Amino acid sequence: MTSSPLSVRVRVRVQARRAALPLALCAGLAAGLTACGTDPDEGTNGVGKLSATEIENRARTAADGADAVRLSGTLVSKGGSYKIDMRLKSSGGTGTVTSQKSTFGLLRVGEDLFLKANAGFWSHSESGGAASAAGKLDDKYVKVPSGDPAYQQLRGFTEKSVLLKGMLGLQGALSKGDRSEVGNVRTVRIAAGKDGEGGTLDVSLQGTPYPLRFERAGGAGVLELADWNKDFALAAPAKGDTVDYGQQLPKT
């Protein structure tokens, strides 16, 4: 029996549809597999694939091995709140510290520590002698005697290893968070404790896995770390810019 032209056309259409369905499913499946197979760490240094503990260890190793860093942000402690902007290396550091009352500069070259502040800083001192000498001390470097009670406290702001060890401490069980950015640098974030209450740390996914941003536990401040391994000039101030206070620094 000969098939009519109409029945032939119907069979062709049905067969075409049946053939198209698997092709469409295969295409969709392929697209899905391609999307699911996208690597979020493609083109990175690979630390995003590690566990949170491994990422923290890599970041600490990178920080310890760096010759220099710039650390800026806010610190909150029992003694109050401070804004710091310090450039640090093993031989010393330089920068500014702002407290609730004043701003002063710090410079350490080896064991020699210098404090620089304006007349307003000295005039608010509890010491009448310093207040009367405020004009002389204005915007000059004052060498802090190594035996002065303030020496160790102020020196701590210029110590790279001390600052990094004390400030980059995460408290609690670690977990790996989302990918993020600090500036234009891609990062992976690790967090300690529930919802990061023990602190969070952003680690670079580009180049060396340096820590780039640290939010301290309990709202104790946020710090950014930049200019890793970028050297900077560090030298004692000129004699004309230095004043020898000659005794224990006044309390300010």
Side-chain angles (χ1 to χ4, degrees):
M1 182 176 179
T2 303
S3 300
S4 67
L6 177 60
S7 62
V8 171
R9 287 197 298 272
V10 170
R11 285 200 302 272
V12 169
R13 289 174 180 172
V14 170
Q15 291 171 353
R17 288 174 182 172
R18 288 174 178 172
L21 182 58
L23 288 174
L25 289 174
C26 289
L29 179 60
L33 289 174
T34 300
C36 293
T38 300
D39 184 357
D41 295 311
E42 183 177 357
T44 72
N45 55 22
V47 297
K49 299 178 183 295
L50 304 178
S51 69
T53 299
E54 290 172 320
I55 294 172
E56 183 192 29
N57 290 337
R58 291 285 185 91
R60 285 189 175 277
T61 299
D64 290 342
D67 293 328
V69 65
R70 181 175 183 176
L71 191 153
S72 61
T74 303
L75 294 174
V76 180
S77 67
K78 295 180 180 178
S81 176
Y82 303 89
K83 289 184 179 180
I84 67 172
D85 187 355
M86 298 295 300
R87 299 197 70 176
L88 309 164
K89 55 185 178 180
S90 59
S91 58
T94 182
T96 59
V97 178
T98 300
S99 67
Q100 295 175 335
K101 296 180 180 180
S102 57
T103 297
F104 55 91
L106 288 174
L107 169 65
R108 182 176 65 83
V109 183
E111 298 301 310
D112 294 334
L113 178 65
F114 301 89
L115 171 66
K116 184 178 183 180
N118 60 25
F121 174 90
W122 298 108
S123 64
H124 284 90
S125 164
E126 296 176 4
S127 168
S132 63
K136 180 183 177 181
L137 301 174
D138 181 34
D139 209 28
K140 295 288 186 179
Y141 284 100
V142 176
K143 188 174 182 179
V144 183
S146 59
D148 191 290
Y151 180 86
Q152 289 300 329
Q153 179 184 6
L154 294 174
R155 177 174 173 145
F157 287 109
T158 69
E159 293 272 9
K160 172 180 173 286
S161 59
V162 171
L163 279 179
L164 294 183
K165 182 178 180 180
M167 294 179 186
L168 299 185
L170 294 167
Q171 303 173 13
L174 299 181
S175 60
K176 184 165 62 174
D178 296 331
R179 305 301 187 272
S180 186
E181 285 189 358
V182 174
N184 295 321
V185 180
R186 295 168 64 188
T187 64
V188 58
R189 180 170 296 173
I190 56 176
K194 183 179 179 182
D195 299 324
E197 62 186 11
T200 64
L201 182 67
D202 280 88
V203 178
S204 176
L205 285 173
Q206 299 173 214
T208 305
Y210 290 120
L212 299 183
R213 185 178 185 274
F214 179 60
E215 184 171 348
R216 304 179 75 204
V222 178
L223 299 167
E224 292 199 0
L225 303 99
D227 296 343
W228 285 103
N229 260 340
K230 291 186 178 180
D231 197 14
F232 58 94
L234 194 62
K239 289 185 178 180
D241 294 328
T242 308
V243 174
D244 185 359
Y245 191 73
Q247 56 184 307
Q248 180 176 308
L249 290 184
K251 295 180 180 179
T252 59

